[in-house]
Amino acid sequence: MVRLLIIGTLDTKLEDLEHLAAIIRELGAEPVVMDASTRMGSTRLSGDVQLISRAEVARAAGSSIRAVDGLPRGEAVEVMQAGVLALTGQMAASGRIQGAVCVGGAGAHLAGPAFKALEIGFPKMIVSPLASGDRRFEPYVGLRDVAVLHSVADIAGVNAVTGPVYRATAGYIVGAARAYASGADAPIAPTVAVSMNGNTTPGLSRAMAALRARGISCVSFHANGVGGRALEDFVASGKAVAVLDYTTTELGAHLVGGLMDPGPSRMEAAGRRGVPQVLVPGCVDFITCGRWDEARRDFPGRSMFRHNPELTLVRLTEEEMRRLGDAFAGKANLAAAATVICVPTRGFSISDVEGGAFWDPTADAAFIDALAAGLDDPARLVLIDAHVNSPDFVDRVVTELMALLEPPAGVEEQRTPELGRSR
């Protein structure tokens, strides 16, 4: 029998939590309710459902329920968040639970830190009326595989709307927990973390097929800001044997603007952790912005490309490319392990090709020159007379990556320190 943790606030959601616990038990799983209320409410559950009291949650945070009762709401929530984080992590790590679900309105945020700390694959679900509309899902999901279900109606009792939602919730989380508890997946081959987007899919499809043929698994992260952060988080977890950072357009988003900013730590985890990496300036020639009229307003006079009705690609200027090359070098210089930078000199994206909307050899050269000048070790740089998606370039990148993973015994490659190796 699988055990499921239900996180909520009994002071306001008692009926809802009891109902969900009853359905979970009806489906053959064992519910455990954790009361994360910031204020005193009901402390009893009907039946014999195990309860983790709000006092226990407060103690797990290094506080006391008396202290929590005396705090302003915001500070009280922070204490209870810490307690939920500590207890949920302990229960998951020890195998005492095989899944967790949080039900609430604003109270759903109580489980946010805990769910973001649970491993990928461990079933975790949030049910909330706030999971809708034009809202950011960062507080709920972060960089983890959190399932989010819109409750449609407020969490204020079981009725014609919430009743069916709770039954579906129980079915989802019980099924996921049983799948999780049924056993580990087959062993996964050594894994390479890859960054990609639509512009680099042609090249990376070839690269990943070549790596799989060599017994290497690939996990790709979409270079959309959150994807880049997820890549860094995955690499920092120690699960990647190497990184193929092929689509580094997010670095430009952080420096120049647009929608895909991954924050200041992009392109750093592999270097700091000592994970071998091949870096490619895929799509560094543009940033991704919103609708066409918004992009024209924010970046007047630029070369642009309509990616779809919601997204517009904006070409970077020569000066921005120079800044980007210098920043790219700075990231590479942080690396404590083998790092190779493969640069395609015939274009960085699908549109950055002779006759294409973003073809600008002068701007691309500014990036390459700044990159070469900024590297502490110029021998890391490999200039390849090809386009970023061309088979020749892809095959060379794969060769460089395999050399990092399987260096030939007793063979030391010769590199040209001035410009790096050329094809």
Side-chain angles (χ1 to χ4, degrees), residues 257-278:
L259 302 178
M260 309 300 188
D261 185 356
S265 299
R266 182 69 175 90
M267 295 176 62
E268 294 184 4
R272 295 188 186 281
R273 188 174 176 85
V275 176
Q277 61 181 337
V278 173

Side-chain angles (χ1 to χ4, degrees), residues 299-366:
F299 296 94
R302 299 291 190 95
S303 296
M304 297 185 182
F305 182 84
R306 295 178 187 264
H307 186 66
N308 61 41
E310 300 300 323
L311 299 177
T312 304
L313 311 183
V314 177
R315 211 331 173 164
L316 298 189
T317 66
E318 180 180 347
E319 177 55 33
E320 289 166 345
M321 292 292 282
R322 185 174 291 109
R323 288 173 51 207
L324 192 55
D326 184 65
F328 200 108
K331 299 289 186 178
N333 289 339
L334 296 173
T339 296
V340 175
I341 306 166
C342 292
V343 177
T345 60
R346 291 183 178 266
F348 301 144
S349 70
I350 289 177
S351 296
D352 186 16
V353 63
E354 190 167 359
F358 288 166
W359 179 242
D360 188 344
T362 302
D364 288 355

